[in-house]
Amino acid sequence: MSTGSTAQTPAESSGPERGTRWHRPAGIVRAYQSEPWSTRAHTLVRWASIPMDAVEQELPDSGEVLEIGCGHGLFSLTAALASHDRRVIGTDIDGAKLVEARRAAQAAGLNQERLEFQQVEADWRPPSDHLYDAVVIIDVLYLLGISAALNLVAAAARAVKPGGRLLVKEMDTTLRAKAAWCSTQELISTKLTRVTEGETVQLVPLDALRAVMQEADLEVTTQALDRGYVHPHALLIGQRR
Ligand SMILES: C[S@@+](CC[C@H](N)C(=O)[O-])C[C@H]1O[C@@H](n2cnc3c(N)ncnc32)[C@H](O)[C@@H]1O
């Protein structure tokens, strides 16, 4: 969705050329610039390798956005910086990442009213008595195992307000070469470097995710976002009527 009434952050005055994958909004650069080099490098590479801005454009311009598995908060910050009319809540199981995410939010000038981070347990699900304008899950499900992943998506779908949407950015397992590369890289992140906490690395078929979203009465469309990327990015958009 367009960000009509919103506050796009001004372009960086120096650094990578606008329009290249490495170019980030100035607010995002500012947010992480005082973090340890490993976090600066990690968030830079994630920005360049994932179409964060394409996902952000599918959010409603205003309202309450829940991101499940927000990591260092890169997408949550992107969503909050792109529109003054959004309130964003990011959750993750990794407390150390959230410490950095909170500092980054502060450095970007976002107070708790605009962006809040909460540490949760691995089996946490959105509460059934609170609905969101949007729920977002980016590259989390492959860490959970298929059954827990589908259970989380079902709970996320139930947490979407009428008129709201669930955005799930995962990998398209039917693009086999790209999916194989992705699994190898994620095994390195979880088992070797331990940048990412997770039980397993198991890509969840998009068909299974779509079915769970449809069962929760969402109208589901799929956007291929892999063009120009080595990863088989795909975005499922579940719209509640
Ligand atoms: C690959 S990172 C993606 C982070 C962020 N969504 C992004 O796109 O930059 C996966 C994140 O999922 C988190 N995670 C793993 N299992 C989780 C669970 N059961 N509930 C919430 N977060 C979880 C990890 O701690 C990690 O920060």
Side-chain angles (χ1 to χ4, degrees), residues 42 46 50 52 67-75 91-94 97 120-125 137-140 142-144 152 186 195-198:
H42 179 76
R46 264 198 93 61
I50 292 152
M52 295 280 180
E67 185 190 4
I68 302 174
C70 64
H72 295 94
L74 189 55
F75 182 79
T91 66
D92 203 285
I93 57 171
D94 187 333
K97 282 186 183 172
V120 295
E121 298 296 325
D123 59 357
W124 182 85
R125 301 290 179 262
I137 308 175
I138 302 178
D139 295 345
V140 178
Y142 71 92
L143 297 165
L144 308 184
L152 177 59
E186 294 306 339
V195 172
T196 303
E197 277 194 42

Short mmCIF file of all heavy atoms in Angstrom, two decimals, residues 42 46 50 52 67-75 91-94 97 120-125 137-140 142-144 152 186 195-198, ligand 1:
data_model
loop_
_atom_site.label_atom_id
_atom_site.label_comp_id
_atom_site.label_asym_id
_atom_site.label_seq_id
_atom_site.Cartn_x
_atom_site.Cartn_y
_atom_site.Cartn_z
N HIS A 42 25.39 -7.48 9.82
CA HIS A 42 24.25 -8.40 9.68
C HIS A 42 23.03 -7.66 9.12
O HIS A 42 22.37 -8.14 8.20
CB HIS A 42 23.95 -9.01 11.04
CG HIS A 42 22.79 -9.95 11.04
ND1 HIS A 42 22.87 -11.23 10.54
CD2 HIS A 42 21.51 -9.79 11.45
CE1 HIS A 42 21.69 -11.81 10.64
NE2 HIS A 42 20.85 -10.96 11.19
N ARG A 46 21.28 -8.23 5.53
CA ARG A 46 19.86 -8.62 5.48
C ARG A 46 19.08 -7.63 4.62
O ARG A 46 18.22 -8.01 3.85
CB ARG A 46 19.26 -8.67 6.90
CG ARG A 46 19.28 -10.08 7.45
CD ARG A 46 18.37 -10.34 8.61
NE ARG A 46 17.05 -10.86 8.28
CZ ARG A 46 16.80 -12.01 7.66
NH1 ARG A 46 17.78 -12.75 7.23
NH2 ARG A 46 15.57 -12.40 7.42
N ILE A 50 17.14 -9.11 1.23
CA ILE A 50 15.70 -9.34 1.42
C ILE A 50 14.91 -8.10 0.99
O ILE A 50 15.30 -6.98 1.35
CB ILE A 50 15.41 -9.64 2.91
CG1 ILE A 50 16.02 -10.98 3.25
CG2 ILE A 50 13.92 -9.68 3.22
CD1 ILE A 50 16.40 -11.12 4.65
N MET A 52 12.84 -5.96 1.92
CA MET A 52 12.11 -5.40 3.08
C MET A 52 11.14 -4.31 2.62
O MET A 52 10.01 -4.21 3.13
CB MET A 52 13.09 -4.76 4.08
CG MET A 52 14.03 -5.72 4.75
SD MET A 52 13.19 -6.58 6.08
CE MET A 52 14.50 -7.63 6.69
N GLU A 67 4.96 -7.59 14.47
CA GLU A 67 5.93 -8.43 13.75
C GLU A 67 6.39 -9.54 14.70
O GLU A 67 6.95 -9.29 15.77
CB GLU A 67 7.16 -7.65 13.27
CG GLU A 67 8.04 -8.59 12.42
CD GLU A 67 9.42 -8.07 12.05
OE1 GLU A 67 9.82 -6.97 12.48
OE2 GLU A 67 10.12 -8.79 11.32
N ILE A 68 6.19 -10.79 14.28
CA ILE A 68 6.60 -11.94 15.10
C ILE A 68 7.96 -12.42 14.61
O ILE A 68 8.14 -12.70 13.42
CB ILE A 68 5.56 -13.08 14.99
CG1 ILE A 68 4.18 -12.58 15.43
CG2 ILE A 68 5.99 -14.29 15.81
CD1 ILE A 68 3.04 -13.58 15.23
N GLY A 69 8.94 -12.49 15.53
CA GLY A 69 10.29 -12.92 15.13
C GLY A 69 11.05 -11.78 14.46
O GLY A 69 11.60 -11.93 13.37
N CYS A 70 11.10 -10.64 15.15
CA CYS A 70 11.62 -9.41 14.53
C CYS A 70 13.14 -9.31 14.53
O CYS A 70 13.71 -8.42 13.90
CB CYS A 70 11.03 -8.19 15.24
SG CYS A 70 11.56 -8.08 16.96
N GLY A 71 13.83 -10.20 15.24
CA GLY A 71 15.30 -10.15 15.28
C GLY A 71 15.82 -8.82 15.79
O GLY A 71 15.39 -8.33 16.84
N HIS A 72 16.73 -8.21 15.02
CA HIS A 72 17.30 -6.91 15.42
C HIS A 72 16.35 -5.75 15.14
O HIS A 72 16.72 -4.59 15.31
CB HIS A 72 18.60 -6.64 14.67
CG HIS A 72 19.71 -7.60 15.02
ND1 HIS A 72 19.96 -8.72 14.28
CD2 HIS A 72 20.61 -7.58 16.01
CE1 HIS A 72 20.98 -9.37 14.81
NE2 HIS A 72 21.39 -8.71 15.86
N GLY A 73 15.16 -6.06 14.64
CA GLY A 73 14.14 -5.03 14.46
C GLY A 73 14.19 -4.29 13.14
O GLY A 73 13.53 -3.26 12.98
N LEU A 74 14.92 -4.86 12.17
CA LEU A 74 15.10 -4.14 10.90
C LEU A 74 13.77 -3.83 10.21
O LEU A 74 13.53 -2.70 9.78
CB LEU A 74 16.01 -4.98 9.99
CG LEU A 74 16.51 -4.36 8.72
CD1 LEU A 74 17.24 -3.05 8.97
CD2 LEU A 74 17.45 -5.35 7.98
N PHE A 75 12.90 -4.84 10.12
CA PHE A 75 11.62 -4.57 9.45
C PHE A 75 10.71 -3.72 10.32
O PHE A 75 10.04 -2.81 9.82
CB PHE A 75 10.90 -5.87 9.06
CG PHE A 75 9.62 -5.57 8.34
CD1 PHE A 75 9.65 -5.22 7.00
CD2 PHE A 75 8.41 -5.56 9.00
CE1 PHE A 75 8.47 -4.87 6.33
CE2 PHE A 75 7.23 -5.23 8.35
CZ PHE A 75 7.27 -4.88 7.00
N THR A 91 8.22 -8.76 18.27
CA THR A 91 8.48 -9.78 19.30
C THR A 91 9.57 -10.72 18.80
O THR A 91 9.74 -10.93 17.60
CB THR A 91 7.22 -10.64 19.58
OG1 THR A 91 6.92 -11.40 18.42
CG2 THR A 91 6.04 -9.80 19.97
N ASP A 92 10.31 -11.29 19.75
CA ASP A 92 11.32 -12.30 19.39
C ASP A 92 11.66 -13.10 20.65
O ASP A 92 11.43 -12.64 21.77
CB ASP A 92 12.59 -11.64 18.84
CG ASP A 92 13.40 -12.58 17.95
OD1 ASP A 92 14.08 -13.49 18.50
OD2 ASP A 92 13.35 -12.45 16.71
N ILE A 93 12.23 -14.28 20.44
CA ILE A 93 12.66 -15.09 21.59
C ILE A 93 14.07 -14.71 22.04
O ILE A 93 14.50 -15.11 23.11
CB ILE A 93 12.65 -16.60 21.23
CG1 ILE A 93 13.53 -16.90 20.01
CG2 ILE A 93 11.24 -17.08 21.00
CD1 ILE A 93 13.73 -18.39 19.74
N ASP A 94 14.78 -13.93 21.22
CA ASP A 94 16.20 -13.66 21.47
C ASP A 94 16.36 -12.29 22.15
O ASP A 94 16.31 -11.24 21.50
CB ASP A 94 16.94 -13.71 20.12
CG ASP A 94 18.45 -13.61 20.28
OD1 ASP A 94 18.92 -13.03 21.28
OD2 ASP A 94 19.15 -14.12 19.39
N LYS A 97 19.14 -9.79 20.89
CA LYS A 97 18.80 -9.03 19.68
C LYS A 97 17.85 -7.87 20.01
O LYS A 97 17.96 -6.79 19.44
CB LYS A 97 18.12 -9.95 18.65
CG LYS A 97 19.09 -10.84 17.90
CD LYS A 97 18.36 -11.61 16.80
CE LYS A 97 19.31 -12.55 16.10
NZ LYS A 97 18.62 -13.46 15.17
N VAL A 120 9.50 -12.89 23.92
CA VAL A 120 8.45 -13.89 24.13
C VAL A 120 9.07 -15.28 24.19
O VAL A 120 10.23 -15.48 23.81
CB VAL A 120 7.40 -13.85 22.98
CG1 VAL A 120 6.65 -12.53 22.97
CG2 VAL A 120 8.06 -14.11 21.62
N GLU A 121 8.28 -16.24 24.66
CA GLU A 121 8.71 -17.64 24.64
C GLU A 121 8.45 -18.21 23.24
O GLU A 121 7.63 -17.69 22.49
CB GLU A 121 7.90 -18.45 25.67
CG GLU A 121 8.09 -18.00 27.11
CD GLU A 121 9.52 -18.19 27.59
OE1 GLU A 121 10.16 -19.18 27.18
OE2 GLU A 121 9.99 -17.35 28.38
N ALA A 122 9.13 -19.33 22.95
CA ALA A 122 9.01 -19.93 21.61
C ALA A 122 7.58 -20.34 21.29
O ALA A 122 7.17 -20.35 20.12
CB ALA A 122 9.94 -21.13 21.49
N ASP A 123 6.79 -20.68 22.31
CA ASP A 123 5.41 -21.10 22.02
C ASP A 123 4.41 -19.96 22.18
O ASP A 123 3.20 -20.18 22.20
CB ASP A 123 5.02 -22.28 22.92
CG ASP A 123 5.11 -21.92 24.40
OD1 ASP A 123 5.53 -20.78 24.72
OD2 ASP A 123 4.77 -22.77 25.24
N TRP A 124 4.91 -18.73 22.28
CA TRP A 124 4.01 -17.57 22.39
C TRP A 124 3.18 -17.43 21.11
O TRP A 124 3.69 -17.62 20.00
CB TRP A 124 4.80 -16.28 22.61
CG TRP A 124 3.92 -15.06 22.76
CD1 TRP A 124 3.32 -14.61 23.90
CD2 TRP A 124 3.54 -14.14 21.72
NE1 TRP A 124 2.60 -13.47 23.63
CE2 TRP A 124 2.70 -13.16 22.31
CE3 TRP A 124 3.80 -14.05 20.35
CZ2 TRP A 124 2.15 -12.10 21.59
CZ3 TRP A 124 3.24 -13.00 19.62
CH2 TRP A 124 2.42 -12.03 20.24
N ARG A 125 1.92 -17.11 21.27
CA ARG A 125 1.04 -16.84 20.14
C ARG A 125 0.31 -15.54 20.41
O ARG A 125 0.08 -15.20 21.59
CB ARG A 125 0.00 -17.97 19.96
CG ARG A 125 0.60 -19.37 19.73
CD ARG A 125 1.25 -19.47 18.36
NE ARG A 125 1.87 -20.76 18.09
CZ ARG A 125 3.18 -21.03 18.24
NH1 ARG A 125 4.01 -20.10 18.66
NH2 ARG A 125 3.65 -22.21 17.92
N ILE A 137 5.30 -11.83 9.45
CA ILE A 137 6.28 -12.87 9.84
C ILE A 137 7.29 -12.98 8.69
O ILE A 137 6.91 -13.35 7.57
CB ILE A 137 5.60 -14.24 10.07
CG1 ILE A 137 4.43 -14.12 11.04
CG2 ILE A 137 6.62 -15.25 10.57
CD1 ILE A 137 3.64 -15.42 11.22
N ILE A 138 8.54 -12.63 8.97
CA ILE A 138 9.55 -12.66 7.90
C ILE A 138 10.66 -13.63 8.27
O ILE A 138 11.40 -13.42 9.24
CB ILE A 138 10.16 -11.25 7.69
CG1 ILE A 138 9.06 -10.24 7.35
CG2 ILE A 138 11.23 -11.28 6.61
CD1 ILE A 138 9.56 -8.81 7.17
N ASP A 139 10.78 -14.69 7.51
CA ASP A 139 11.89 -15.65 7.65
C ASP A 139 12.03 -16.18 9.08
O ASP A 139 13.13 -16.19 9.65
CB ASP A 139 13.21 -15.00 7.20
CG ASP A 139 13.20 -14.68 5.72
OD1 ASP A 139 12.33 -15.20 5.01
OD2 ASP A 139 14.05 -13.88 5.28
N VAL A 140 10.94 -16.63 9.64
CA VAL A 140 10.94 -17.23 10.97
C VAL A 140 10.50 -18.70 10.90
O VAL A 140 11.05 -19.57 11.57
CB VAL A 140 9.99 -16.46 11.93
CG1 VAL A 140 9.95 -17.11 13.31
CG2 VAL A 140 10.41 -15.00 12.05
N TYR A 142 10.77 -21.24 8.98
CA TYR A 142 11.67 -22.35 8.63
C TYR A 142 12.49 -22.81 9.83
O TYR A 142 13.12 -23.87 9.81
CB TYR A 142 12.59 -21.94 7.48
CG TYR A 142 13.64 -20.93 7.86
CD1 TYR A 142 14.90 -21.34 8.29
CD2 TYR A 142 13.36 -19.56 7.84
CE1 TYR A 142 15.86 -20.40 8.68
CE2 TYR A 142 14.29 -18.63 8.24
CZ TYR A 142 15.54 -19.06 8.65
OH TYR A 142 16.49 -18.15 9.04
N LEU A 143 12.48 -22.01 10.92
CA LEU A 143 13.23 -22.35 12.13
C LEU A 143 12.41 -23.19 13.11
O LEU A 143 12.93 -23.67 14.11
CB LEU A 143 13.67 -21.08 12.86
CG LEU A 143 14.64 -20.17 12.10
CD1 LEU A 143 14.71 -18.80 12.75
CD2 LEU A 143 16.02 -20.81 12.04
N LEU A 144 11.12 -23.35 12.84
CA LEU A 144 10.20 -23.89 13.86
C LEU A 144 9.85 -25.35 13.68
O LEU A 144 9.39 -25.99 14.63
CB LEU A 144 8.89 -23.08 13.86
CG LEU A 144 9.01 -21.56 13.98
CD1 LEU A 144 7.63 -20.94 14.08
CD2 LEU A 144 9.85 -21.16 15.18
N LEU A 152 1.65 -21.43 14.31
CA LEU A 152 1.90 -19.99 14.50
C LEU A 152 1.16 -19.17 13.45
O LEU A 152 0.55 -18.13 13.76
CB LEU A 152 3.41 -19.71 14.44
CG LEU A 152 3.81 -18.24 14.56
CD1 LEU A 152 3.33 -17.63 15.88
CD2 LEU A 152 5.33 -18.07 14.46
N GLU A 186 21.18 -21.03 5.84
CA GLU A 186 20.52 -20.93 7.14
C GLU A 186 21.06 -21.97 8.12
O GLU A 186 21.13 -21.71 9.32
CB GLU A 186 19.00 -21.07 6.99
CG GLU A 186 18.35 -19.93 6.24
CD GLU A 186 18.69 -18.56 6.81
OE1 GLU A 186 19.07 -18.46 7.99
OE2 GLU A 186 18.59 -17.58 6.07
N VAL A 195 24.10 -17.06 14.63
CA VAL A 195 23.50 -15.72 14.53
C VAL A 195 22.01 -15.82 14.79
O VAL A 195 21.39 -14.92 15.35
CB VAL A 195 23.73 -15.14 13.11
CG1 VAL A 195 22.97 -13.84 12.92
CG2 VAL A 195 25.20 -14.94 12.84
N THR A 196 21.41 -16.95 14.38
CA THR A 196 19.96 -17.11 14.49
C THR A 196 19.62 -18.26 15.42
O THR A 196 20.16 -19.35 15.29
CB THR A 196 19.36 -17.40 13.09
OG1 THR A 196 19.72 -16.33 12.23
CG2 THR A 196 17.86 -17.51 13.15
N GLU A 197 18.67 -17.98 16.37
CA GLU A 197 18.20 -19.05 17.25
C GLU A 197 17.08 -19.79 16.57
O GLU A 197 16.16 -19.20 16.02
CB GLU A 197 17.63 -18.44 18.54
CG GLU A 197 18.68 -18.12 19.55
CD GLU A 197 18.05 -17.86 20.91
OE1 GLU A 197 17.13 -18.60 21.30
OE2 GLU A 197 18.50 -16.91 21.56
N GLY A 198 17.16 -21.11 16.62
CA GLY A 198 16.08 -21.90 16.04
C GLY A 198 16.37 -23.36 16.23
O GLY A 198 17.52 -23.77 16.37
C1 LIG B 1 16.27 -15.12 10.30
S1 LIG B 1 15.78 -14.21 11.70
C2 LIG B 1 14.67 -13.05 10.94
C3 LIG B 1 14.56 -11.79 11.74
C4 LIG B 1 13.68 -10.72 11.12
N1 LIG B 1 12.32 -11.19 10.91
C5 LIG B 1 14.28 -10.22 9.84
O1 LIG B 1 13.70 -10.50 8.80
O2 LIG B 1 15.34 -9.57 9.86
C6 LIG B 1 14.67 -15.29 12.54
C7 LIG B 1 14.25 -14.75 13.90
O3 LIG B 1 13.21 -15.58 14.42
C8 LIG B 1 13.38 -15.67 15.81
N2 LIG B 1 12.63 -16.84 16.30
C9 LIG B 1 12.95 -18.15 16.21
N3 LIG B 1 11.98 -18.90 16.76
C10 LIG B 1 11.01 -18.04 17.19
C11 LIG B 1 9.74 -18.20 17.84
N4 LIG B 1 9.27 -19.41 18.16
N5 LIG B 1 9.02 -17.10 18.13
C12 LIG B 1 9.47 -15.87 17.81
N6 LIG B 1 10.67 -15.65 17.20
C13 LIG B 1 11.42 -16.72 16.90
C14 LIG B 1 14.89 -15.77 15.98
O4 LIG B 1 15.29 -15.43 17.29
C15 LIG B 1 15.37 -14.78 14.93
O5 LIG B 1 15.55 -13.49 15.46
#
